[in-house]
Amino acid sequence: MSDRALTRMGAAALADAMRAGDVSAREVTDAHLDVIAAHDGIAAEGDVWHALPTEQLGPDDVHAFLVVTAARARAQADDVDRRRVAGEKLGPLAGVPLALKDVLTMRGVPTTCGSRMLEGWIPPYDATVTRRLLEADVVVLGKTNMDEFAMGSSTENSAYGPTRNPWDLDRVPGGSSGGSAAAVAAGMAPLAIGTDTGGSIRQPAAFTGIVGAKPTYGTVSRYGLVAFASSLDQAGPFARDVTDTALLQALIQGHDPHDATSDALERDDLLASLRAGVDGMRIGVVEELESAGCEPGVRTVFLEAVATLERLGARIERVSLPHVPFGLPAYYLVAPAEASSNLARFDGVRYGMRVDAPSAEAMNAATRATGFGPEVRRRIMIGTHALSSGYVDAYYLQAARIRTLIARDYVAAFEHVDVLISPTAPTVPFRLGERTDDPLAMYRNDVATVPASLAGIPALSVPAGVTPAEEGSGPLPVGLQVMAPLRADARMYRVAYALEQALSLDPDPATHGGARAVRSVRAGGGAS
Amino acid sequence: MTTPWLDGYELVVGLEVHVELTTQTKMWCGCATTFGDEPNTNVCPVCSGQPGALPVPNRQAVHDATLLGLALGGSISPRCRFHRKNYFYPDLAKNYQISQYDVPLVLDGRLEVEVERDGELVTEVVGIERLHMEEDTGKSLHLGATGRLHGADRSAIDYNRSGVPLLEIVSHPDIRDPETAQAYLRELQAIVRTLGVSDARMEEGSMRCDANVSVRRPGAELGTRCEIKNLNSVRSLGRAIRFEALRQVQVLEDGGAIVMETRHWDEEAGVTRTLRRKETVTDYRYFPDPDLVEMTTTPEAVERVRAELPELPAVTRARLAATGVPRAQAATILAGGMLTLLDDAVAAGAAAPAVANWLAGEVTGHVSAGDATLEGTGLTGAHLAELVAMVDEGALSSTMAKQVLAGVFESAGTKGPRAVAAEGGLEQIGDDAALGAVIDEVVAANADTVAAVRGGNEKAIGALVGQVMRATQGRADPKRTNELLQRAIAAADG
Amino acid sequence: MSSGALSEDEVRHVATLARLALDDAEITALTPQLAAILSYAEQVGEVAADDVEPMTHPLGLIDVYRDDVRTPGLSADDVLAAAPDPQVGRFGVPRIVEEGA
């Protein structure tokens, strides 16, 4: 099997091939490492590969990974192969490579959260998600680039330079989990883990033409996920198809006694009803999100996808969620407020950067001013203000009340419809640098993803189509967001699967003919 | 009502007491709470504030806090939660402390304390505003230029104590004199020890106290208060309140105004000093901790905890008073955690007042004198009953009994009083014939003194008793010796 | 809470609370950005929600505890490995000027 084939195969297909003995885990891992070595702008030498310094990154480097644990990944793959030969029963995704967002800890592997603050930090423990992946013999290739401390919608806020979109290397892959999404889209890994606080999985999935899901809050453990906004953060899966995405969520979800906010109820089987179709299902289009700030190209693709669902037998209704327009302002109070407290621990005392000063207080302040980038500082300032005496009720608590109202809107809507849908993002991927000077414009890209985060409901983004090529731009992917009631994650996968099968889009950026699509993919040849 | 020593002013005091719970593990993680271990050995990702780590509350700590709340007559909040108190300090691993804010676990308690006033014990009631749960901080070791580190002044942090369950008990400003404040602290200490929820050792910091002190003209609005910190013993509390009250009166009398501030008690100098002004105090930015969920309880669950309450010190005191134990001794016994010994000794047949006398006297003296702990003495109620019985039987003089008890301590409780007495030959000479022989010798050898006694100087007989005691190495019963001496002198006369 | 008029002094105060050493130029640059974000966020005030409970957990979980049982932690070496200034088995910091809470 050629490298090219291996790196465009899905996780389930790779697992089947390995089980059948057609390919070894080591070959699969090496094929993906080859793509990374060729196209990610990384110093592919030694046991641990480090991303090139920003100034050495080229315009064709995807820069999805910050660190690639090559030797460790190969050893893990060899171990899987050995145990398979020995006849051990292995997990469903054993030997499948995966990219881990650099916000989840992995013992012994550097974790930076895309920040200078944590440069060189080696966590002394595994996140629960990491532990579950390793126990399932998933091969962790490395840690992916992200907006600093997951604050951003473009991965441009990484202290280590932006990730580029494999569909168009001059455009952003979305964020904050842009590295994970780009890795999957570019064939550097069939699976990736991201985290989603206000859309940080769904929006990059939409921007890179793949599937990304934010599970119901409490479904996946947050232990070892370096917190941005604790009441919103959820880790979730990325893959190039819905089945793989569901398989990966099934692997990482489950109750964790180390996370007091983790749901103790049994999770639904995400695969059992995957192929049940949408015939007779009631699907609501969220009126407030259908057109709000949507670019015409996005709207066109979205409406075509809605028409497809209708053809599949779904009953489409327009549903109003009256408090949704307040979601974005509420989010930009709740998330920074929690972040201001969560990020207080980065003070130069226990780990990470220290800027010396004559007193502990001055050392803290100098370290934090130096270690945090502009967007993180901005959000810490907003959040500190939102919690300060005299403001906490009008800002943080009022925003938390709006969460309750939005959650009630969803409950009311789900009495009439089975799922709700909207465009995942109001725009196609924008150009690098296009929005970095206007924080509010950047924030507005989260308008459609934030409400589900605030309500805690599950939501995913599935490719809905591709905008036509235009002057100066190749075709770009558009995502459709499916939202389901609390704990009904299986239902959103079912709808997404039906749409995916009906559209049968090719997730390979190369097949759509963009001039700036990642080179190897456009060439369609071997990776190395 | 004015405070007699405050020159027309009334003293107003409220106390904030922190108690570390002696649970097996910390508030949010499975690390040990042991005091005095090597630095940073009882730590994990949670209590050392590692990125990504999350707190999970200790069920036992919530139970213990509830138990104490009920012992203090408080009501348990049916719903409450934890908040984050945000402030930067190197000993605070996350730079926020998980605490409670608007709704504490316990509201509206009260504590009745006994205070000696003009030689009489008076009962005072101190209201308790709230009891809430929080976590302790790590400890800073300050290393000066002359300390263990080179160069400039530095501090170094040990997170072993970080995350140890901590209760804060806030009284109403109901206290009007230092003695009541001290009695309140002692009573609280006795209660938490009785409940077994904390060892409440002020010297180890497992019980800490801050005092809010103000003065006012009787009937006037509450005066501006100062918070006094660094009160490391019950004695410091009394001294500090007294100093601070006098200082405040002096300021007012000089035409000044009290500034709201935190003051530090300097134990050696015996003064309070400004630590920081309240107006510059940090804005703690309290908000509900999103890592933790709401805690709820039901009246039924509260009653199940209440049913676990042991006899509380006030009840014990009344019971002991009824059996004839003096109140002061009862207080010492309770504060010293010796009630079980007393009850066991009484169950083994001894009279409560006799046992109490030993516990409040010799035993307390022994434990408080040296490094000994009560547990370390190995003393049991059976030992005490045996000791009392030997004295009652006349087998031991009180002097000898003290020696016997010391022997029991020395053996760490492996030998009982009878064994110690037998081995050391310490039993009282109960045999009149044996004692008579010694007395005859003393009478014969001290003709002058005998003559003096006979001549009407009755006090002179004391010297003779002393001679007998010396000759018997203290094993003679002084009373019986006296009787036999008089009889011998009278006989010699005839 | 009209923060449209957020002043540089307020921003400086917030920076102190947040323990960020920002110089005057940074304060000046940040002030209009924060004011813009806050005036946008203040839309939340348009919703009458006084009688609505602030959301605490989306699933409404309550009463989650752990048993009081010891679990293995980290060694002093592990926890100090990342310390910028390990000192006598502890985390060294420059002189602490302020008093604790």
Side-chain angles (χ1 to χ4, degrees):
Chain A
M1 224 174 282
S2 73
D3 275 7
R4 157 83 188 147
L6 289 176
T7 57
R8 293 315 306 180
M9 278 169 75
L14 284 169
D16 282 346
M18 287 186 277
R19 257 191 300 275
D22 296 342
V23 65
S24 70
R26 177 60 186 265
E27 288 170 296
V28 170
T29 294
D30 281 337
H32 287 91
L33 288 174
D34 287 348
V35 178
I36 296 168
H39 303 291
D40 205 40
I42 200 156
E45 292 156 4
D47 290 350
V48 179
W49 304 351
H50 292 278
L52 295 174
T54 317
E55 62 278 8
Q56 289 177 32
L57 288 168
D60 292 344
D61 292 329
V62 175
H63 190 37
F65 285 86
L66 295 175
V67 66
V68 173
T69 48
R72 195 170 165 153
R74 289 190 181 117
Q76 230 193 317
D78 287 343
D79 180 57
V80 167
D81 288 333
R82 219 171 7 249
R83 285 161 50 213
R84 199 186 302 280
V85 168
E88 261 185 60
K89 184 159 166 43
L90 298 170
L93 295 176
V96 177
L98 172 139
L100 189 61
K101 186 178 182 181
D102 200 27
V103 73
L104 289 148
T105 63
M106 180 165 171
R107 193 182 168 97
V109 176
T111 296
T112 66
C113 301
S115 180
R116 290 283 169 216
M117 183 61 93
L118 279 176
E119 195 163 5
W121 181 55
I122 312 247
Y125 75 109
D126 279 336
T128 299
V129 166
T130 310
R131 186 176 52 74
R132 282 174 168 266
L133 291 168
L134 294 174
E135 283 172 2
D137 295 308
V138 170
V139 174
V140 178
L141 296 173
K143 310 291 290 292
T144 56
N145 199 13
M146 56 185 282
D147 284 301
E148 184 177 4
F149 287 107
M151 298 179 190
S153 310
S154 69
T155 320
E156 290 166 295
N157 294 333
S158 168
Y160 304 96
T163 299
R164 291 167 182 272
N165 192 325
W167 287 68
D168 179 342
L169 292 164
D170 297 328
R171 291 179 185 266
V172 301
S176 65
S177 311
S180 286
V184 171
M188 294 172 178
L191 299 174
I193 298 290
T195 61
D196 189 314
T197 305
S200 280
I201 291 174
R202 290 162 283 162
Q203 184 252 20
F207 274 22
T208 57
I210 63 170
V211 185
K214 180 201 88 75
T216 300
Y217 184 82
T219 297
V220 177
S221 169
R222 292 188 298 114
Y223 189 72
L225 189 177
V226 180
F228 161 18
S230 315
S231 71
L232 299 161
D233 293 342
Q234 268 294 282
F238 283 109
R240 288 187 295 266
D241 67 45
V242 174
T243 309
D244 283 0
T245 311
L247 278 168
L248 183 52
Q249 179 174 332
L251 209 60
I252 59 172
Q253 71 182 9
H255 178 244
D256 180 11
H258 290 108
D259 175 359
T261 63
S262 166
D263 190 3
L265 286 190
E266 192 73 26
R267 273 60 169 171
D268 281 349
D269 183 338
L270 301 176
L271 298 161
S273 59
L274 195 62
R275 289 151 197 259
V278 292
D279 191 8
M281 262 185 126
R282 298 161 304 167
I283 295 179
V285 176
V286 181
E287 280 181 356
E288 286 79 4
L289 302 178
E290 186 185 352
S291 51
C294 260
E295 293 176 352
V298 171
R299 192 171 151 74
T300 305
V301 171
F302 173 71
L303 290 176
E304 282 168 9
V306 172
T308 302
L309 287 167
E310 197 160 22
R311 268 200 306 282
L312 294 172
R315 283 172 17 220
I316 306 294
E317 295 174 29
R318 257 49 186 185
V319 174
S320 172
L321 303 176
H323 294 96
V324 152
F326 297 97
L328 204 53
Y331 175 82
Y332 277 97
L333 289 169
V334 170
E338 293 181 13
S340 72
S341 175
N342 284 331
L343 269 57
R345 68 186 62 193
F346 302 104
D347 63 355
V349 174
R350 290 158 297 274
Y351 33 71
M353 174 187 278
R354 168 179 298 190
V355 175
D356 254 312
S359 71
E361 293 79 5
M363 180 277 284
N364 293 157
T367 300
R368 291 166 57 76
T370 311
F372 292 136
E375 180 61 21
V376 173
R377 289 205 301 264
R378 201 152 40 223
R379 295 208 199 180
I380 288 175
M381 292 288 289
I382 290 287
T384 302
H385 184 63
L387 290 177
S388 62
S389 167
Y391 293 99
V392 64
D393 190 72
Y395 285 157
Y396 182 78
L397 293 173
Q398 175 70 2
R401 289 183 196 105
I402 287 180
R403 291 185 69 176
T404 303
L405 293 172
I406 290 175
R408 285 184 195 163
D409 283 357
Y410 277 113
V411 169
F414 287 130
E415 283 173 11
H416 305 288
V417 295
D418 298 306
V419 295
L420 290 160
I421 58 171
S422 76
T424 306
T427 68
V428 292
F430 41 90
R431 290 176 195 281
L432 286 160
E434 191 179 310
R435 297 186 179 209
T436 41
D437 291 338
D438 185 353
L440 271 175
M442 191 72 92
Y443 297 175
R444 287 200 180 96
N445 216 267
D446 302 338
V447 65
T449 47
V450 150
S453 297
L454 292 172
I457 60 171
L460 60 66
S461 181
V462 60
V466 172
T467 58
E470 286 174 28
E471 177 86 25
S473 171
L476 293 167
V478 172
L480 177 138
Q481 177 176 231
V482 184
M483 295 165 273
L486 288 170
R487 297 186 172 113
D489 301 44
R491 202 185 293 171
M492 71 178 180
Y493 282 110
R494 173 180 165 187
V495 173
Y497 182 83
L499 183 65
E500 172 188 76
Q501 296 304 307
L503 296 174
S504 61
L505 295 162
D506 188 335
D508 187 344
T511 60
H512 301 276
R516 287 286 290 144
V518 67
R519 186 162 50 86
S520 66
V521 181
R522 194 182 75 234
S528 47
Chain B
M1 199 174 74
T2 61
T3 307
W5 45 277
L6 269 189
D7 202 14
Y9 286 85
E10 183 185 40
L11 170 65
V12 177
V13 177
L15 297 181
E16 288 176 18
V17 179
H18 283 93
V19 174
E20 276 184 355
L21 295 178
T22 45
T23 41
Q24 286 300 302
T25 65
K26 293 185 180 180
M27 188 63 217
W28 317 114
C29 62
C31 290
T33 55
T34 331
F35 176 82
D37 284 351
E38 284 296 305
N40 294 305
T41 52
N42 296 326
V43 294
C44 74
V46 178
C47 58
S48 65
Q50 298 295 312
L54 295 172
V56 183
N58 183 335
R59 187 192 314 277
Q60 186 68 38
V62 178
H63 168 274
D64 290 358
T66 305
L67 193 66
L68 178 56
L70 292 173
L72 297 175
S75 54
I76 308 302
S77 301
R79 295 172 57 193
C80 66
R81 56 176 307 143
F82 290 102
H83 276 65
R84 291 187 186 176
K85 179 181 182 181
N86 294 283
Y87 67 97
F88 284 86
Y89 206 75
D91 66 13
L92 196 55
K94 306 179 294 297
N95 283 323
Y96 60 81
Q97 180 190 34
I98 304 176
S99 182
Q100 294 194 287
Y101 181 52
D102 48 357
V103 183
L105 181 71
V106 184
L107 278 165
D108 299 330
R110 65 205 293 275
L111 196 51
E112 284 185 19
V113 299
E114 290 178 336
V115 190
E116 194 176 319
R117 202 161 283 147
D118 305 324
E120 265 184 60
L121 279 172
V122 184
T123 300
E124 296 277 359
V125 178
V126 180
I128 291 172
E129 186 190 318
R130 58 188 275 152
L131 176 154
H132 74 245
M133 305 193 65
E134 55 187 32
E135 57 176 333
D136 214 339
T137 63
K139 272 186 182 165
S140 318
L141 176 70
H142 299 289
L143 302 154
T146 54
R148 277 191 279 169
L149 290 188
H150 313 290
D153 281 2
R154 300 189 76 72
S155 297
I157 320 293
D158 165 17
Y159 292 107
N160 278 350
R161 199 182 66 178
S162 168
V164 168
L166 197 61
L167 304 183
E168 180 173 325
I169 302 133
V170 183
S171 88
H172 284 293
D174 289 350
I175 296 168
R176 296 289 175 269
D177 55 49
E179 294 75 24
T180 304
Q182 291 176 306
Y184 172 90
L185 194 54
R186 274 198 214 95
E187 185 69 9
L188 200 49
Q189 194 173 40
I191 290 173
V192 298
R193 286 178 177 169
T194 301
L195 300 179
V197 299
S198 172
D199 51 20
R201 291 184 218 256
M202 293 194 77
E203 66 281 9
E204 288 183 2
S206 57
M207 184 174 203
R208 309 195 280 273
C209 178
D210 301 332
N212 285 307
V213 178
S214 64
V215 296
R216 65 173 170 190
R217 292 290 185 188
E221 295 280 296
L222 283 178
T224 303
R225 67 192 155 83
C226 293
E227 185 180 4
I228 317 298
K229 288 192 175 283
N230 193 43
L231 303 171
N232 294 323
S233 66
V234 174
R235 183 164 170 269
S236 309
L237 173 64
R239 289 179 70 204
I241 290 172
R242 193 173 292 271
F243 174 88
E244 179 61 18
L246 289 168
R247 184 193 71 84
Q248 289 185 12
V249 167
Q250 189 65 54
V251 169
L252 295 174
E253 287 297 297
D254 290 349
I258 305 301
V259 180
M260 195 189 269
E261 62 186 359
T262 302
R263 299 179 67 87
H264 181 92
W265 169 246
D266 181 334
E267 178 74 30
E268 269 183 37
V271 299
T272 64
R273 294 201 176 91
T274 298
L275 198 60
R276 70 174 124 89
R277 295 277 152 101
K278 282 280 183 184
E279 58 262 39
T280 62
V281 85
T282 318
D283 177 347
Y284 289 123
R285 289 161 284 138
Y286 280 100
F287 76 106
D289 191 332
D291 288 334
L292 295 162
V293 302
E294 199 171 50
M295 298 193 285
T296 72
T297 191
T298 60
E300 296 72 32
V302 170
E303 288 318 306
R304 279 196 297 276
V305 177
R306 197 191 303 277
E308 293 174 32
L309 281 175
E311 181 180 83
L312 293 175
V315 176
T316 312
R317 275 196 302 271
R319 174 165 69 80
L320 295 185
T323 61
V325 174
R327 300 180 80 148
Q329 288 190 353
T332 306
I333 289 165
L334 287 179
M338 298 182 285
L339 182 62
T340 310
L341 281 177
L342 175 63
D343 287 343
D344 288 353
V346 170
V355 180
N357 203 33
W358 281 108
L359 287 171
E362 289 302 300
V363 177
T364 301
H366 177 73
V367 171
S368 59
D371 296 331
T373 62
L374 187 62
E375 298 71 38
T377 64
L379 189 68
T380 65
H383 292 151
L384 285 164
E386 203 171 290
L387 191 69
V388 168
M390 288 174 77
V391 174
D392 287 351
E393 288 160 10
L396 282 182
S397 69
S398 62
T399 315
M400 287 292 102
K402 288 176 187 173
Q403 282 190 39
V404 167
L405 185 62
V408 174
F409 292 154
E410 217 164 277
S411 76
T414 55
K415 292 174 192 161
R418 286 199 196 280
V420 171
E423 279 178 29
L426 299 176
E427 281 133 324
Q428 191 152 280
I429 301 168
D431 177 356
D432 278 359
L435 191 54
V438 178
I439 284 169
D440 288 345
E441 281 172 34
V442 169
V443 167
N446 293 278
D448 288 356
T449 314
V450 170
V453 174
R454 213 174 280 148
N457 184 356
E458 283 174 21
K459 284 184 183 167
I461 201 165
L464 298 173
V465 172
Q467 294 267 358
V468 175
M469 295 310 288
R470 263 194 297 283
T472 58
Q473 289 162 315
R475 291 165 56 227
D477 174 355
K479 199 169 149 221
R480 186 66 188 149
T481 301
N482 197 308
E483 286 166 18
L484 291 178
L485 264 174
Q486 290 194 13
R487 204 182 299 167
I489 291 167
D493 189 29
Chain C
M1 69 170 200
S2 68
S3 67
L6 194 70
S7 70
E8 290 194 7
D9 278 348
E10 283 175 277
V11 173
R12 206 168 277 116
H13 171 68
V14 173
T16 307
L17 284 179
R19 200 153 281 187
L20 286 167
L22 301 181
D23 60 27
D24 286 348
E26 288 166 311
I27 297 284
T28 304
L30 258 176
T31 302
Q33 293 175 8
L34 299 185
I37 296 167
L38 280 174
S39 72
Y40 175 70
E42 277 173 6
Q43 287 178 54
V44 296
E46 295 166 17
V47 179
D50 290 350
D51 54 345
V52 177
E53 283 253 347
M55 180 185 283
T56 53
H57 188 289
L59 296 174
L61 297 190
I62 52 167
D63 299 324
V64 177
Y65 303 105
R66 42 174 275 276
D67 290 335
D68 187 23
V69 175
R70 289 200 198 166
T71 50
L74 298 172
S75 70
D77 287 345
D78 272 352
V79 77
L80 283 161
D85 179 26
Q87 295 283 358
V88 288
R90 298 171 174 84
F91 294 85
V93 290
R95 190 170 56 97
I96 301 171
V97 177
E98 292 166 19
E99 289 292 330

